[in-house]
Amino acid sequence: MIVTYSNSRECILELISKSRNIANTLGLKIASIVMGLNVSDLANSLSAYSDIVYIVDNPILKHATPDVQSSVLHSILENVKPELILLGGLKEDKEIAARLSAKMNTGCVSECIDIEVEKQSRRILFKRLVYGGIAIAIESINSKPQVASVRKGVFEKASPLAVKGEVIKLDVSIPKPRLELIEVKGKEAKGVDFESAEVVIVGGRGVRRREDFKLLEELKEVLNGVVGCTRPVAADLKWFTEWIGLSGHMVKPKLYIGIGVSGAIQHIAGIKDSKIVVAVNNDPNAPIFNACDYGIVGDLYEVLPELIKEIKILKTHS
Amino acid sequence: MVNVAVCIKYSIDVSNLKVDHANRTPITIGAPRRMSDIDRRAVEEAIRIKERCGGTVTAFTLGIPEARTCLREALAMGVDDAVLITDPLLESSDTYITSKALANALLKLGLFDIILCGETSTDGYSYQVGPRIAEILNIPCITYAKSIAISNGYVTVERDLEDRYEVVKTQLPVLITVTREINEPRHPSTASMMKAFKKPIKTLNAKDVGINGLNPQVQILKVFIPELKRKGIVFKDLPIKQSVAEVVKNLVKEGVLK
């Protein structure tokens, strides 16, 4: 059996779609685990994708932290005895993966970008990015069960099965939570779907003021894309809360335009699946010029208005 | 008084990593290394806790003998004691062995109220070692901290998650993993660097931390650098207007602009 778990429904569907190839090759069934309070709707909806859905519905699990979640998963998995356990790409999923592996005294590969079965040996191969994203490692796990977490947004979402799976209610003893949740504060206006955007425009440290991002917004309007920034602009300058790069959103647009982006390797890793990469920077030695399809060496405050104008002309003519 | 332990990694400096172009592999033997950026924040946070609450800070690292370099740096920043776990047997250690070795060293060296780790290392990006140590020691674990406050034997931590911040509280002892955004680390002065050279570093081997004979559970079969197929057409000597026109023309040709 392959067991999938994530705190995000979207991630679960990605895990199931990836599991299907592995399950078919190795002749395994796919199960999902759902826990929380009043989660039978989620369990029922997942039964359209999974052969089995295990559900633990309990008031104590309403705001469960990874501490409790990993214990509950451990109790279930000791009985289910799966070959492979796949966790999602949320921060909490990664913590659960690590803790569950420690509890089960087994190996875990984090943040996989691909998982496949080696033909002859039928060994499961886990692919992940290492060294800031410039290299790919292929790893295998020689302990049981094998545990892996998977990067978010890398795999397609699963399509429904022809026959609905079975929903099995479980009664699991739940440990006393060791963490007390005092407060939850939502982050401001999320909702930009970087992962599925077709055009991504990114501002880097070359953009001198936060209000100058309106130039990027203008380009975004013309190209019908999304605007993001690099890690230093978000994490150091705190102009935004999210960024594009290995430690943030990994994007795969048809067109990526980096404005004043120098091209740190972690950023390049986050845009590596873009079809075309365009870079604008006034430093001819900026590393991004070694990782772009088209580059313009020049002041972004001159290039950007010209670029917007050119594209507008093109759009009105077509 | 709070006794803090901080676990740091002598990571490969990925921005200066050389590549074997013929074989498309990174050259990791003898590669430049430094204290992992996020772990540096963990060291800073440990010292700030000591400055606020009193107590001591002990830094632990597991790695090659040269990893003492990053312990010296931690000492110069203000850490009191340093422990290096090094052994040829540990060279291919995975997160399972690393966390076991660190947990055993932590137990051996005394009772710590707070154990700090970076959320992940900047070369391996596994996000595993902190939570695994907490599991082995059977203490509460709080991940992705962006601020830490301590009072009366309790710790209150703000966690930075994808869509929200969570404030959680628990009783000491606790293991906390910190984000890169938690603080801005201090730069040690030359004088404190010199002083750090005179401080002793305790060294432990695989046997001392009870992991001789253990085999890694994760095997790295291959590491390679995928080919980056980019055209690399850069306009630098043309007037801006012309450069832009060239790029736009090409984007139309590529079918990404209509």
Side-chain angles (χ1 to χ4, degrees):
Chain A
M1 178 127 48
I2 301 174
V3 173
T4 60
Y5 182 81
S6 170
N7 282 348
S8 138
R9 184 179 185 272
E10 296 211 327
C11 287
I12 300 172
L13 294 182
E14 291 169 12
L15 296 176
I16 293 173
S17 88
K18 192 69 224 178
S19 299
R20 284 192 186 149
N21 298 330
I22 310 165
N24 285 341
T25 318
L26 298 178
L28 301 171
K29 287 204 152 151
I30 298 172
S32 304
I33 298 177
V34 171
M35 69 175 90
L37 176 63
N38 300 329
V39 283
S40 51
D41 284 352
L42 174 61
N44 283 330
S45 84
L46 287 177
S47 69
Y49 304 89
S50 230
D51 300 317
I52 301 167
V53 181
Y54 295 108
I55 171 170
V56 185
D57 209 315
N58 191 311
I60 307 172
L61 294 172
K62 193 179 174 192
H63 293 295
T65 58
D67 189 32
V68 170
Q69 291 171 322
S70 54
S71 290
V72 171
L73 286 173
H74 184 206
S75 305
I76 299 171
L77 295 170
E78 274 195 320
N79 294 313
V80 171
K81 297 200 189 326
E83 301 289 316
L84 174 65
I85 303 163
L86 290 184
L87 284 299
L90 297 184
K91 286 178 161 191
E92 291 193 298
D93 294 339
K94 285 183 272 192
E95 180 183 344
I96 294 167
R99 300 179 73 148
L100 191 59
S101 319
K103 282 178 199 293
M104 303 187 89
N105 202 22
T106 191
C108 172
V109 179
S110 306
E111 299 246 86
C112 296
I113 54 165
D114 202 7
I115 303 170
E116 53 192 31
V117 180
E118 196 174 44
K119 277 218 178 77
Q120 280 174 339
S121 67
R122 294 165 72 84
R123 175 167 66 166
I124 303 176
L125 303 179
F126 301 89
K127 270 192 197 175
R128 59 189 303 261
L129 295 170
V130 289
Y131 304 130
I134 59 162
I136 293 175
I138 301 177
E139 305 182 358
S140 71
I141 302 173
N142 51 34
S143 53
K144 290 218 155 49
Q146 304 178 59
V147 181
S149 67
V150 163
R151 270 204 84 108
K152 195 168 173 272
V154 176
F155 304 130
E156 303 278 304
K157 289 182 187 48
S159 47
L161 296 167
V163 186
K164 264 196 156 195
E166 188 185 357
V167 177
I168 302 175
K169 275 207 166 188
L170 296 177
D171 205 5
V172 178
S173 75
I174 296 161
K176 196 170 172 286
R178 290 188 283 191
L179 306 188
E180 186 194 342
L181 185 63
I182 310 269
E183 194 188 352
V184 180
K185 297 182 255 185
K187 287 190 180 176
E188 64 172 279
K190 220 199 125 131
V192 178
D193 188 358
F194 291 108
E195 277 77 6
S196 55
E198 295 215 331
V199 178
V200 174
I201 300 152
V202 172
R205 283 301 282 268
V207 181
R208 287 198 287 269
R209 288 170 300 261
R210 185 181 173 158
E211 52 268 34
D212 297 345
F213 267 81
K214 69 175 188 287
L215 274 170
L216 280 75
E217 293 285 338
E218 212 179 310
L219 181 61
K220 174 198 91 170
E221 294 300 324
V222 191
L223 290 171
N224 194 21
V226 299
V227 171
C229 68
T230 58
R231 204 199 73 86
V233 171
D236 300 338
L237 298 175
K238 310 216 184 292
W239 292 353
F240 304 97
T241 53
E242 298 173 66
W243 60 83
I244 310 297
L246 188 66
S247 61
H249 292 279
M250 304 264 282
V251 296
K252 37 183 187 291
K254 283 185 181 152
L255 175 60
Y256 163 98
I257 306 178
I259 306 290
V261 171
S262 62
I265 54 169
Q266 292 87 347
H267 184 72
I268 300 299
I271 65 168
K272 68 176 175 52
D273 293 326
S274 306
K275 184 173 178 232
I276 296 290
V277 170
V278 175
V280 178
N281 202 302
N282 58 7
D283 175 8
N285 299 317
I288 195 159
F289 288 126
N290 296 320
C292 72
D293 294 292
Y294 301 99
I296 300 175
V297 178
D299 182 353
L300 69 92
Y301 291 89
E302 289 176 46
V303 176
L304 214 40
E306 190 59 36
L307 190 59
I308 293 165
K309 199 175 86 188
E310 273 293 309
I311 297 172
K312 272 187 180 161
I313 293 170
L314 184 78
K315 294 267 176 187
T316 46
H317 284 248
S318 62
Chain B
M1 294 265 279
V2 179
N3 289 328
V4 185
V6 56
C7 301
I8 56 185
K9 184 175 181 186
Y10 191 50
S11 300
I12 288 179
D13 178 1
V14 293
S15 43
N16 290 305
L17 186 62
K18 299 265 185 316
V19 172
D20 174 347
H21 288 281
N23 295 308
R24 303 212 59 80
T25 53
I27 305 169
T28 51
I29 296 166
R33 285 176 180 263
R34 63 178 194 194
M35 190 194 307
S36 179
D37 276 354
I38 309 175
D39 297 349
R40 188 181 298 277
R41 271 69 177 182
V43 172
E44 174 65 32
E45 200 61 26
I47 297 165
R48 288 187 191 187
I49 291 171
K50 179 180 84 169
E51 286 165 352
R52 284 200 306 267
C53 307
T56 60
V57 179
T58 309
F60 290 79
T61 193
L62 179 151
I64 53 176
E66 292 77 12
R68 66 178 69 240
T69 316
C70 72
L71 289 176
R72 294 245 181 264
E73 217 181 324
L75 287 165
M77 285 171 77
V79 164
D80 302 288
D81 296 297
V83 180
L84 169 67
I85 308 162
T86 189
D87 200 306
L89 286 174
L90 293 171
E91 250 154 51
S92 59
S93 69
D94 58 356
T95 56
Y96 156 72
I97 289 183
T98 303
S99 51
K100 215 156 207 167
L102 285 166
N104 286 340
L106 286 158
L107 284 175
K108 204 180 170 97
L109 268 290
L111 294 170
F112 294 100
D113 303 301
I114 300 177
I115 301 163
L116 295 180
C117 296
E119 60 173 332
T120 188
S121 67
T122 43
D123 55 352
Y125 277 96
S126 88
Y127 296 84
Q128 288 186 35
V129 172
R132 274 182 180 265
I133 294 173
E135 282 293 334
I136 298 168
L137 299 177
N138 194 21
I139 57 173
C141 171
I142 304 177
T143 47
Y144 314 110
K146 78 182 273 269
S147 74
I148 300 172
I150 298 146
S151 78
N152 300 328
Y154 282 85
V155 62
T156 306
V157 175
E158 187 166 4
R159 307 176 69 210
D160 187 351
L161 301 175
E162 282 89 352
D163 58 343
R164 66 192 190 278
Y165 300 108
E166 267 185 18
V167 182
V168 293
K169 187 177 175 182
T170 194
Q171 205 168 355
L172 303 179
V174 62
L175 185 143
I176 304 170
T177 74
V178 308
T179 59
R180 200 196 298 254
E181 289 72 44
I182 191 167
N183 59 42
E184 204 39 63
R186 69 194 68 193
H187 297 285
S189 66
T190 319
S192 53
M193 281 301 272
M194 298 301 289
K195 244 170 60 199
F197 265 96
K198 297 195 188 107
K199 289 189 185 166
I201 289 175
K202 193 176 171 59
T203 307
L204 302 174
N205 63 24
K207 204 173 148 217
D208 296 331
V209 292
I211 50 164
N212 51 335
L214 286 189
N215 289 317
Q217 293 172 328
V218 173
Q219 245 186 310
I220 299 171
L221 306 172
K222 186 181 173 187
V223 177
F224 66 99
I225 293 174
E227 210 155 347
L228 194 62
K229 289 192 190 103
R230 295 281 176 218
K231 298 187 178 71
I233 302 168
V234 179
F235 301 98
K236 54 183 167 197
D237 300 318
L238 297 178
I240 296 289
K241 201 176 159 56
Q242 225 171 317
S243 298
V244 169
E246 282 296 327
V247 168
V248 169
K249 195 175 79 190
N250 277 295
L251 294 183
V252 173
K253 214 160 64 186
E254 299 275 5
V256 294
L257 203 60
K258 277 175 246 157

